Amino acid sequence: MQVNDAQWSNTEKKIAQEAFEKAYKREINTLISVVRQQANEIVELDDIWRLHDFLSARRHEIDGKYDYRYSVLIFVFSGLLKDGWLHLDELEGLDKDKLTKIAALAQM
Amino acid sequence: MQVNDAQWSNTEKKIAQEAFEKAYKREINTLISVVRQQANEIVELDDIWRLHDFLSARRHEIDGKYDYRYSVLIFVFSGLLKDGWLHLDELEGLDKDKLTKIAALAQM
């Protein structure tokens, strides 16, 4: 299943971009509070290395995840939906076929 | 220059171990406060990745640095002296030759 650039109307692109940024900001803001909290709970060296491991994993994940290419956006959105960073109604205005695919993939 | 296990008396070993632990605790406690402070100053994602880079570097450095083998201890102590984690008078009781070497290496 590939949905390339040509298949996104200008209106859809605008909706997609806003939803993408909304999810990104939510996840980053959550990450910032989690890191602050973990840092405040640091008592010994092992806590620091646990924080380091956590950041290594999140960096790898976030770097790969927020990929704004129209060819992969359906998958990106379904992942964000699944992880709770985005709600389906925030994608309202995309064509029905895309929404169905995104919702179905998010259930997997 | 190599100073192996046989060249450390029991008294010297005790002094060395205490000094080593003292320096380690000092550095770790400083690291903990620096990390807490950096975490409190996190505003955006880049600050998180900067903290991650900082932790990667410190982990690599600390893992390699605190090496309690008598064959390398002279070098370890000189490094700790140089970086201010240890004071020469905390090594008092080691034989004069070792102290001279440690002090000289710390000046390099």
Side-chain angles (χ1 to χ4, degrees):
Chain A
M1 175 172 55
Q2 212 181 15
V3 185
N4 65 34
D5 190 291
Q7 291 166 280
W8 293 75
S9 71
N10 283 339
T11 309
E12 284 184 309
K13 285 180 180 175
K14 198 168 172 282
I15 293 164
Q17 200 151 7
E18 276 172 15
F20 185 91
E21 280 165 18
K22 208 175 275 181
Y24 182 77
K25 276 184 191 154
R26 270 183 199 135
E27 180 159 10
I28 299 315
N29 287 337
T30 302
L31 179 61
I32 288 173
S33 10
V34 170
V35 171
R36 277 182 172 157
Q37 198 184 323
Q38 285 196 12
N40 277 326
E41 288 166 5
I42 288 170
V43 175
E44 52 179 16
L45 191 61
D46 278 351
D47 300 327
I48 290 190
W49 298 159
R50 253 192 298 280
L51 173 63
H52 179 245
D53 289 338
F54 172 76
L55 291 179
S56 299
R58 302 315 308 259
R59 191 172 200 168
H60 181 75
E61 189 199 343
I62 288 174
D63 277 354
K65 187 162 140 183
Y66 284 91
D67 183 353
Y68 195 84
R69 284 177 297 153
Y70 291 106
S71 57
V72 296
L73 214 43
I74 294 288
F75 300 99
V76 173
F77 282 147
S78 68
L80 293 173
L81 225 69
K82 196 173 184 170
D83 294 341
W85 301 116
L86 200 64
H87 307 287
L88 197 58
D89 58 15
E90 291 171 317
L91 294 170
E92 212 170 296
L94 298 189
D95 86 33
K96 220 188 148 196
D97 185 47
K98 287 194 191 72
L99 287 176
T100 309
K101 282 174 183 162
I102 291 168
L105 283 165
Q107 299 298 324
M108 283 182 183
Chain B
M1 175 171 55
Q2 212 181 14
V3 185
N4 64 35
D5 191 291
Q7 291 167 279
W8 293 75
S9 71
N10 283 339
T11 308
E12 283 184 309
K13 285 181 180 177
K14 200 169 172 282
I15 292 164
Q17 200 150 8
E18 276 173 15
F20 185 91
E21 280 166 18
K22 207 176 275 183
Y24 182 78
K25 276 184 193 156
R26 268 183 202 136
E27 180 159 11
I28 299 316
N29 287 338
T30 301
L31 179 62
I32 289 174
S33 13
V34 170
V35 172
R36 277 182 172 156
Q37 197 184 324
Q38 285 196 11
N40 277 327
E41 287 165 5
I42 288 170
V43 175
E44 53 179 16
L45 191 61
D46 278 351
D47 300 326
I48 290 190
W49 299 159
R50 251 191 300 279
L51 173 62
H52 180 244
D53 289 339
F54 172 77
L55 292 179
S56 300
R58 302 314 310 259
R59 191 173 201 167
H60 181 75
E61 189 199 342
I62 288 173
D63 277 355
K65 187 162 140 183
Y66 285 91
D67 183 352
Y68 196 83
R69 284 176 297 153
Y70 291 106
S71 57
V72 296
L73 214 43
I74 293 288
F75 299 99
V76 173
F77 281 148
S78 67
L80 293 173
L81 225 68
K82 196 173 185 170
D83 295 341
W85 300 116
L86 200 64
H87 307 287
L88 196 58
D89 58 14
E90 291 170 317
L91 293 170
E92 212 170 296
L94 298 189
D95 85 35
K96 220 187 147 198
D97 185 48
K98 288 194 190 72
L99 286 175
T100 307
K101 282 175 184 164
I102 291 168
L105 283 165
Q107 299 298 324
M108 283 182 184

